[in-house]
């Protein structure tokens, strides 16, 4: 799975930033289907509580992520997980923003 997503991770990691630093983080969400782990979605988070710079940086990451996934044939869409969005309003960073949900879960073969 990581090898399939590596170019997308590189695209966002090397994308420009509004903050002159990488303020966005992401994590994979795994699901078990028939005793195998699959990547269902990638969740994106802000590492700063900045209302402007971190939000713009997230948008830059989202654009690069979507373009990279389209080029790799990894179809999906951005969705807000309402339960996570509510959790993210409490406390300090990381702050959940949005998820890239794959049309078909990716097999987790590292």
């Amino acid at each position: 799975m990581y090898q399939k997503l590596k170019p997308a991770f590189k695209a966002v990691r090397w994308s420009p930033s509004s903050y002159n630093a990488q303020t966005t983080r992401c994590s994979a969400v795994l699901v078990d289907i028939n005793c195998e782990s699959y990547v269902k979605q990638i969740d994106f988070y802000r590492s700063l509580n900045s209302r402007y710079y971190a939000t713009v940086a997230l948008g830059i990451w989202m654009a690069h992520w979507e373009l990279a996934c389209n080029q790799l044939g990894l179809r999906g869409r951005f969705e807000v997980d309402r339960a996570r969005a509510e959790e993210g309003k409490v406390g300090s960073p990381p702050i959940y923003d949005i998820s890239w949900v794959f049309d078909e879960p990716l097999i987790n073969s590292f």
Side-chain angles (χ1 to χ4, degrees):
M1 182 280 313
Y2 178 72
Q3 289 304 319
K4 283 184 184 178
L5 290 173
K6 188 175 181 179
F9 287 127
K10 285 179 99 174
V12 296
R13 198 175 102 216
W14 290 101
S15 65
S17 173
S18 62
Y19 194 71
N20 202 21
Q22 293 295 350
T23 59
T24 307
R25 305 288 184 264
C26 62
S27 65
V29 176
L30 301 177
V31 293
D32 287 327
I33 303 172
N34 297 329
C35 299
E36 286 196 64
S37 292
Y38 290 83
V39 176
K40 173 187 167 192
Q41 67 192 48
I42 304 291
D43 292 343
F44 292 88
Y45 299 83
R46 283 177 285 147
S47 64
L48 294 175
N49 210 358
S50 166
R51 186 173 171 182
Y52 302 105
Y53 294 112
T55 304
V56 171
L58 172 68
I60 293 168
W61 265 51
M62 289 170 63
H64 283 81
W65 182 264
E66 184 173 21
L67 289 171
C69 283
N70 285 337
Q71 286 292 313
L72 296 167
L74 302 172
R75 302 292 176 236
R77 66 205 169 281
F78 284 109
E79 288 183 8
V80 173
D81 183 333
R82 296 290 176 206
R84 284 203 166 109
E86 290 302 315
E87 289 172 8
K89 291 180 181 177
V90 179
S92 59
I95 302 163
Y96 170 81
D97 280 296
I98 198 159
S99 300
W100 175 264
V101 180
F102 292 100
D103 289 345
E104 295 181 20
L106 305 175
I107 190 163
N108 186 15
S109 57
F110 290 93

